[in-house]
Amino acid sequence: MTEPVDVDSEVGALLRALQQQRDRVVETFAGLPDEVLRTPVLPSGWTYLGVVQHLALDVERFWFQFVVAGREVELSTGDQAWQVPADRPAEQVVQLYRDEAARTDEIISGTPLDAGPAAWPTEMFGDMPSRVLRRTVLHVITETAAHAGQLDAARELVDGHQWLVLTD
């Protein structure tokens, strides 16, 4: 984020919690070589860069630009966001995530937390009721934290690096 967040406000607290999880995602693979960032660690087949691109496109862009703000943006389909072309530099994927996060922060900062969505994809969610911005932000914090945990575990499998060890 470029501006300090007022953590005493609810919006500020939500933005700070979300940013902490975003930072954790990127920190999990700091210093790893490009080939590791593109190699699946688990049988599911996702890669470090695939997770980051998924978070940028399927999470930040989808939930905030499309659903909350109602903007017409290019959305990925199927597992498209998880697939990072071999010729796309890792830095470009991380920058995409940062750019989408900055747009998200602007939308969250400029939208009342009780506001309903500007768009709701019933074709995807059926009868699931739409949610207000506050619930959307909490959902994205949770999803981002879950992916950060997956990336932490993958990092330990790759090179033994552990982020937070609470026992000796």
Side-chain angles (χ1 to χ4, degrees):
M1 270 186 274
T2 56
E3 297 180 19
V5 173
D6 175 10
V7 294
D8 291 330
S9 73
E10 183 179 7
V11 169
L14 290 170
L15 285 170
R16 180 166 179 190
L18 180 54
Q19 188 59 46
Q20 288 171 332
Q21 296 309 316
R22 291 173 180 150
D23 291 344
R24 187 69 215 124
V25 163
V26 175
E27 290 165 359
T28 60
F29 57 85
L32 289 176
D34 191 72
E35 70 180 56
V36 172
L37 300 179
R38 297 174 187 281
T39 302
V41 177
L42 300 175
S44 59
W46 57 258
T47 66
Y48 284 96
L49 292 180
V51 171
V52 174
Q53 187 167 270
H54 158 71
L55 286 167
L57 301 176
D58 292 340
V59 180
E60 302 271 353
R61 179 181 290 175
F62 173 78
W63 283 111
F64 296 103
Q65 289 189 62
F66 177 68
V67 172
V68 173
R71 295 179 184 164
E72 290 199 24
V73 292
E74 183 179 341
L75 299 174
S76 56
T77 58
D79 70 347
Q80 182 182 20
W82 294 85
Q83 307 306 317
V84 178
D87 62 345
R88 182 169 297 149
E91 300 81 24
Q92 187 178 16
V93 176
V94 173
Q95 190 59 52
L96 171 67
Y97 185 42
R98 289 185 174 129
D99 292 345
E100 294 296 331
R103 289 182 193 98
T104 291
D105 291 350
E106 290 173 8
I107 291 167
I108 293 170
S109 295
T111 307
L113 289 174
D114 293 333
W120 189 252
T122 54
E123 67 279 1
M124 291 177 72
F125 298 129
D127 292 336
M128 184 172 102
S130 63
R131 52 177 76 151
V132 297
L133 175 58
R134 179 182 292 104
R135 286 194 58 208
T136 299
V137 175
L138 291 170
H139 165 80
V140 170
I141 290 169
T142 302
E143 182 168 357
T144 305
H147 285 307
Q150 292 168 326
L151 293 169
D152 275 333
R155 177 68 186 255
E156 188 172 351
L157 291 171
V158 166
D159 68 0
H161 177 79
Q162 296 176 331
W163 175 57
L164 181 63
V165 180
L166 300 176
T167 61
D168 291 332

